[in-house]
Amino acid sequence: MTVPSKTDHVDVLIVGAGPAGLMMAAWMATCGIKTRIVDKRGTKIFNGQADGLQCRTLEILDSFGIAERAWKEANHMLEICFWNPDETGAIRRSGRIPDTIPGVSRFQQVVLHQGRIERFFLDYIESKSPIRVERGVLPTKLEFDESLAEDSDAYPITVNLRHLSEEEATPKQASTAANGSCVQDGLFRSNLAADDTAELLRTSELNAKANTEEVVKAKYVLGADGAHSWVRKELGFSLVGDSTDYIWGVLDIVPITDFPDIRSRCAIHSANSGSVMVIPRENKLVRLYIQMTTTEKIGDGGSRADRSKITPETILASAQKILAPYKLSYRKLDWWTAYQIGQRVGTNFSAKERIFLAGDAVHTHSPKAGQGMNISMQDAYNLGWKVSSVIKGLSNRSILKSYERERSGIAHALIQFDHKFSRLFSGRPAKDVMDEEGISLEEFKDAFEKGNLFASGTAVDYEASKIVAKSPEATNGANGVSAPASLEGSKTTPAVTSTQSLASNVKVGMRIPSTKILNQSDARPWHLQERLPSNGTWRILLFVGDVSISEQKQKMETLCKSLSGSNSFLKRFTPSGARYDSVFEVLTVHAAKRTDVSVLDFPEVLRPYDELDGWDYNTIFVDGESYHEGHGQIYETFGIDPKVGCAIVLRPDQYVSYVGPLEDYETVDKFFSDFMIPQN
Ligand SMILES: Cc1cc2nc3c(=O)[nH]c(=O)nc-3n(C[C@H](O)[C@H](O)[C@H](O)COP(=O)(O)OP(=O)(O)OC[C@H]3O[C@@H](n4cnc5c(N)ncnc54)[C@H](O)[C@@H]3O)c2cc1C
Ligand SMILES: *[C@@H]1O[C@H](CO)[C@@H](O)[C@H](O)[C@H]1NC(C)=O
Ligand SMILES: *[C@@H]1O[C@H](CO)[C@@H](O)[C@H](O)[C@H]1NC(C)=O
Ligand SMILES: *[C@@H]1O[C@H](CO)[C@@H](O)[C@H](O)[C@H]1NC(C)=O
Ligand SMILES: *[C@@H]1O[C@H](CO)[C@@H](O)[C@H](O)[C@H]1NC(C)=O
Ligand SMILES: *[C@@H]1O[C@H](CO)[C@@H](O)[C@H](O)[C@H]1NC(C)=O
Ligand SMILES: *[C@@H]1O[C@H](CO)[C@@H](O)[C@H](O)[C@H]1NC(C)=O
């Protein structure tokens, strides 16, 4: 062993720079947390890999200001076509539905490869912070002093990092096309290629002298190191679940075909040759997903399928059989891979809320449910703001327990969805109504439509906790699936309860829906969500109703008196010297006629004054008709009565914490007092 050359102290160490790790780094960059992010690979990926972005993922990217790039570059998927065998056994189109259920989001599902998404994140992180992804860096040892877990000043985790030589950090690619030409394949990051972490560790041991090793002490660690997660293994956690592994062949080509729906997303079931999913992509590319074979359970690192049998040619041949009598060939092959996956969820998502796992490190599932990148990013999106508010000393550590509960609920729901979906997708189509083994078209379409809502990511419903104030009865857990009973210990209860009926369509535990509202001061329309960027700030939305009615105005003024009082939570939980809107932003949406009121009619706490910038014109909005873009009808859409109004508390990740009476200051104060730390 070499003597480590130096010891560094960081708040957060992220292992792995895939979608999950980069999302975490984006939060840390935004919130100004001292962070390092390392990846064993020398390069980022350039093509292939995961492809789609669901609506909720786009909303999240937009909250960091990077959805626009994705939206522009991506291929937009608007339609799904179903193809099934007819009476003669030939495939024919049996239905068409919109790919994204209209109205669930202001975005629709799009397709863009993972390499581009990673690029957008890297640019964002660089623009906001000194954080840079350190490539060719391999952690070799992890120590965790659990006795320090509750000490907020401690650095209880020690990680040794080895800097690899360039040669070590460059993945070996399987030689590919039969004719020997070098098409880039995905096998180097595919799990059909044996995991090489152990091998890298051995080589770097040998090369010890040539390399440098350092010690990093961290307050928090995130293992976002993919399905083979080294961090997970070091912690002794495992993935449990289904015993079957499915092998998928994935081919990215520019197709030459007479199949008419090649530019729509298609689910094609042949009578006897299996099924294929067609995903139209950017740059004239089309991705074909084909389930190749299933293998017996292989466990973590057990025997692998014979990958030499899977080539672009074999994948194409399967597709040709399924599509017959239509013809399919290609001249341009962009990428291909074989992908082996079981449906498994991690036993633990964290060790003492100090070391966390996110993304493929805690759940794997088939690409058909097509959720890998979405769910992985959303794990880290759930975690990032919590960790940073604890590090900044704004919130009590107890809020971190909600990560495991919220995300394991989702992971289990995802696996259930995937199970059902995989069976439907890979099952044989029913021959007739008496064919019980077969999958009927109706069953498939029905499941697909329901699945679509799940897949859009907008149906996520977090259970009651310190930061989600709903009654336990209102809780089904995420999408109706609760965190497993084994996690009972991490359950927390809210200090207050919501009055859901005051905003019947803004469900506590779900992300806030969005519709257009107008800026009171200049009449410009905005989507509500556009006013909720991810920067770590809690939001208090005051639906003050029709303030031309004196009763409503009175309620607003009473509330504002408490909010601006010297003992208000806005002051108690804001660090001295900072403005309260760096911790709590108060946004007002009224329902009076826009031209009957002015920004200056609203109490000052709703439009704070700044020595340099004057009054804030950015916080008062109206539910009204815009000049060019219609009327958002936010009160009606949200189920809020303009003669009653309400107050809504939003977490920094746009999920609804609380809905209650407009004039009820005390309950909101109590909600925050339960987990926020007094600053002065
Ligand atoms: C070959 C392949 C093809 C895929 N195709 C699809 C698809 O078509 N559709 C789909 O929906 N999903 C697909 N997926 C799944 C999707 O890519 C993942 O769900 C998603 O990338 C998960 O993100 P992540 O950040 O959790 O992990 P990953 O993207 O796997 O990122 C993990 C990162 O950690 C690094 N790392 C690993 N171990 C260490 C270590 N010991 N030390 C330091 N760094 C380490 C890796 O180099 C990698 O950069 C595919 C996955 C693979 C591997
Ligand atoms: C090999 O195949 C690729 C496409 O699969 C093609 O571009 C290339 O020209 C071929 N090379 C030879 C030597 O045939
Ligand atoms: C992991 O989870 C199990 C329950 O599933 C629990 O008993 C155990 O204490 C957890 N381990 C750690 C280190 O948190
Ligand atoms: C994200 O979700 C969408 C919608 O289900 C899906 O089509 C897409 O493939 C998913 N993307 C990834 C990378 O999993
Ligand atoms: C956090 O909350 C726990 C109780 O849940 C309490 O014991 C602890 O003192 C609090 N920590 C801080 C820093 O306020
Ligand atoms: C977050 O953005 C809002 C404006 O949307 C701003 O008022 C607030 O101060 C920002 N918070 C931080 C912590 O920068
Ligand atoms: C609202 O209008 C003011 C004044 O024109 C402007 O400064 C602010 O950026 C606007 N905000 C939004 C969200 O439209």
Side-chain angles (χ1 to χ4, degrees):
M1 278 312 288
T2 43
V3 180
S5 53
K6 57 173 180 171
T7 302
D8 192 15
H9 285 76
V10 296
D11 290 326
V12 177
L13 173 69
I14 303 168
V15 181
L22 289 171
M23 173 63 84
M24 186 70 171
W27 262 128
M28 298 304 116
T30 313
C31 297
I33 303 294
K34 190 174 179 206
T35 300
R36 288 179 64 178
I37 172 168
V38 301
D39 199 293
K40 65 179 179 178
R41 295 271 161 255
T43 56
K44 76 171 197 69
I45 51 174
F46 294 102
N47 54 5
Q49 208 104 328
D51 50 12
L53 293 172
Q54 46 159 253
C55 329
R56 180 61 191 149
T57 306
L58 284 161
E59 290 177 5
I60 292 171
L61 294 183
D62 192 46
S63 75
F64 290 102
I66 56 182
E68 216 162 278
R69 288 179 75 183
W71 190 247
K72 254 188 198 157
E73 271 185 41
N75 186 59
H76 291 226
M77 269 200 309
L78 297 170
E79 189 178 67
I80 303 181
C81 298
F82 300 99
W83 284 72
N84 275 63
D86 61 15
E87 312 73 50
T88 70
I91 57 166
R92 70 177 162 81
R93 188 190 305 111
S94 53
R96 273 194 237 249
I97 58 171
D99 184 63
T100 303
I101 298 172
V104 299
S105 171
R106 66 190 201 277
F107 293 105
Q108 295 88 45
Q109 188 178 175
V110 303
V111 195
L112 186 63
H113 73 76
Q114 192 167 331
R116 289 305 294 161
I117 309 294
E118 293 183 7
R119 165 51 49 206
F120 302 155
F121 270 111
L122 291 169
D123 290 349
Y124 175 81
I125 292 162
E126 288 190 12
S127 74
K128 292 279 170 185
S129 73
I131 302 170
R132 298 290 176 270
V133 175
E134 301 167 53
R135 299 194 188 273
V137 176
L138 185 70
T140 55
K141 199 164 120 197
L142 179 130
E143 281 169 347
F144 175 31
D145 183 349
E146 293 191 12
S147 69
L148 297 177
E150 298 305 320
D151 176 353
S152 49
D153 298 321
Y155 290 83
I157 309 152
T158 309
V159 179
N160 289 30
L161 294 180
R162 184 174 293 280
H163 295 252
L164 304 173
S165 66
E166 198 184 326
E167 194 185 342
E168 288 169 319
T170 308
K172 298 170 196 71
Q173 294 233 353
S175 162
T176 53
N179 70 6
S181 80
C182 196
V183 174
Q184 201 183 3
D185 70 38
L187 284 176
F188 74 88
R189 222 167 113 174
S190 153
N191 48 12
L192 279 190
D195 178 45
D196 59 353
T197 303
E199 192 190 324
L200 282 175
L201 280 170
R202 260 196 316 277
T203 351
S204 80
E205 201 72 14
L206 293 174
N207 290 347
K209 289 207 186 66
N211 293 300
T212 56
E213 179 156 313
E214 64 170 321
V215 175
V216 175
K217 288 194 157 276
K219 288 186 172 168
Y220 292 89
V221 166
L222 177 68
D225 47 351
H228 293 293
S229 179
W230 174 85
V231 175
R232 182 184 73 225
K233 286 176 196 151
E234 286 292 297
L235 293 173
F237 298 159
S238 49
L239 295 176
V240 293
D242 197 353
S243 56
T244 322
D245 264 0
Y246 297 92
I247 298 190
W248 297 88
V250 185
L251 199 59
D252 281 351
I253 53 174
V254 176
I256 299 173
T257 181
D258 55 358
F259 179 68
D261 288 346
I262 197 73
R263 292 305 305 174
S264 292
R265 180 172 169 197
C266 295
I268 306 167
H269 286 69
S270 70
N272 300 307
S273 309
S275 45
V276 59
M277 175 89 98
V278 175
I279 311 272
R281 311 193 41 172
E282 68 277 12
N283 295 335
K284 299 188 177 168
L285 290 169
V286 166
R287 172 169 289 190
L288 304 176
Y289 277 110
I290 294 173
Q291 188 176 325
M292 304 299 285
T293 45
T294 58
T295 61
E296 287 309 296
K297 180 181 172 59
I298 44 149
D300 232 53
S303 70
R304 294 284 162 188
D306 182 3
R307 65 187 244 214
S308 64
K309 293 227 174 78
I310 301 176
T311 62
E313 289 74 22
T314 55
I315 302 174
L316 179 71
S318 306
Q320 285 167 332
K321 266 198 216 135
I322 298 165
L323 276 172
Y326 297 101
K327 301 266 182 292
L328 173 72
S329 65
Y330 64 83
R331 302 290 290 276
K332 279 194 198 158
L333 168 62
D334 188 55
W335 183 78
W336 69 277
T337 193
Y339 182 73
Q340 175 173 356
I341 207 78
Q343 297 153 332
R344 303 193 182 104
V345 183
T347 48
N348 302 64
F349 281 55
S350 95
K352 298 251 180 281
E353 289 84 40
R354 282 286 182 172
I355 307 179
F356 296 94
L357 297 175
D360 283 10
V362 268
H363 42 71
T364 62
H365 47 83
S366 76
K368 190 61 53 250
Q371 289 288 319
M373 188 162 62
N374 299 306
I375 299 275
S376 298
M377 286 197 267
Q378 286 169 28
D379 284 345
Y381 185 63
N382 181 289
L383 180 64
W385 68 270
K386 296 175 184 170
V387 168
S388 85
S389 82
V390 170
I391 288 172
K392 287 180 156 178
L394 296 172
S395 299
N396 190 298
R397 271 180 46 74
S398 56
I399 68 165
L400 297 176
K401 288 185 189 300
S402 64
Y403 170 69
E404 176 165 80
R405 293 202 60 89
E406 292 177 350
R407 297 312 296 177
S408 71
I410 296 294
H412 282 96
L414 170 63
I415 300 301
Q416 265 187 17
F417 169 66
D418 189 23
H419 260 295
K420 196 160 151 205
F421 212 64
S422 292
R423 187 187 72 87
L424 286 175
F425 198 80
S426 44
R428 173 178 59 78
K431 294 195 178 71
D432 54 48
V433 285
M434 299 303 287
D435 181 2
E436 284 179 9
E437 287 280 284
I439 312 284
S440 79
L441 177 64
E442 281 317 306
E443 189 186 356
F444 187 79
K445 258 176 88 172
D446 185 52
F448 211 96
E449 280 181 74
K450 286 209 192 85
N452 239 0
L453 186 59
F454 176 85
S456 72
T458 56
V460 166
D461 185 5
Y462 292 143
E463 64 172 26
S465 69
K466 268 183 192 297
I467 51 173
V468 176
K470 59 182 176 188
S471 65
E473 302 85 69
T475 297
N476 282 322
N479 287 299
V481 180
S482 308
S486 59
L487 298 179
E488 205 53 27
S490 54
K491 201 167 182 146
T492 60
T493 44
V496 305
T497 38
S498 294
T499 313
Q500 180 70 72
S501 58
L502 293 174
S504 51
N505 298 327
V506 181
K507 298 279 188 241
V508 180
M510 297 180 77
R511 75 94 165 85
I512 188 145
S514 188
T515 156
K516 285 200 172 167
I517 50 180
L518 308 185
N519 188 340
Q520 168 65 34
S521 54
D522 67 4
R524 179 164 172 191
W526 289 88
H527 247 286
L528 173 63
Q529 274 183 12
E530 292 179 281
R531 275 300 283 111
L532 310 172
S534 293
N535 65 0
T537 304
W538 286 81
R539 303 233 161 61
I540 297 160
L541 301 187
L542 298 180
F543 284 85
V544 294
D546 184 349
V547 286
S548 63
I549 304 171
S550 65
E551 218 181 319
Q552 277 307 116
K553 192 158 187 199
Q554 192 56 48
K555 282 194 222 164
M556 172 174 80
E557 279 167 358
T558 310
L559 172 73
C560 287
K561 220 166 148 206
S562 304
L563 282 177
S564 44
S566 60
N567 197 36
S568 155
F569 69 85
L570 295 184
K571 298 211 173 71
R572 297 204 317 276
F573 301 127
T574 300
S576 47
R579 250 170 66 147
Y580 64 80
D581 61 0
S582 64
V583 182
F584 306 97
E585 203 189 356
V586 185
L587 297 175
T588 305
V589 184
H590 74 83
K593 204 160 168 253
R594 177 171 163 271
T595 47
D596 285 353
V597 293
S598 113
V599 163
L600 301 174
D601 297 334
F602 290 81
E604 190 170 326
V605 67
L606 305 182
R607 48 180 179 95
Y609 182 76
D610 181 273
E611 294 276 319
L612 273 176
D613 299 332
W615 308 114
D616 197 331
Y617 290 100
N618 218 349
T619 56
I620 313 279
F621 296 85
V622 54
D623 184 18
E625 178 91 33
S626 69
Y627 286 108
H628 307 285
E629 296 174 31
H631 195 311
Q633 305 288 10
I634 198 167
Y635 275 75
E636 195 187 324
T637 313
F638 282 12
I640 300 171
D641 182 346
K643 296 199 181 64
V644 180
C646 71
I648 296 177
V649 175
L650 291 186
R651 313 188 332 183
D653 58 359
Q654 304 177 340
Y655 283 80
V656 181
S657 280
Y658 165 83
V659 174
L662 176 61
E663 61 280 21
D664 186 357
Y665 166 85
E666 291 304 324
T667 303
V668 180
D669 187 318
K670 203 166 156 204
F671 170 77
F672 284 117
S673 303
D674 189 38
F675 61 87
M676 293 201 90
I677 298 174
Q679 301 292 311
N680 34 53

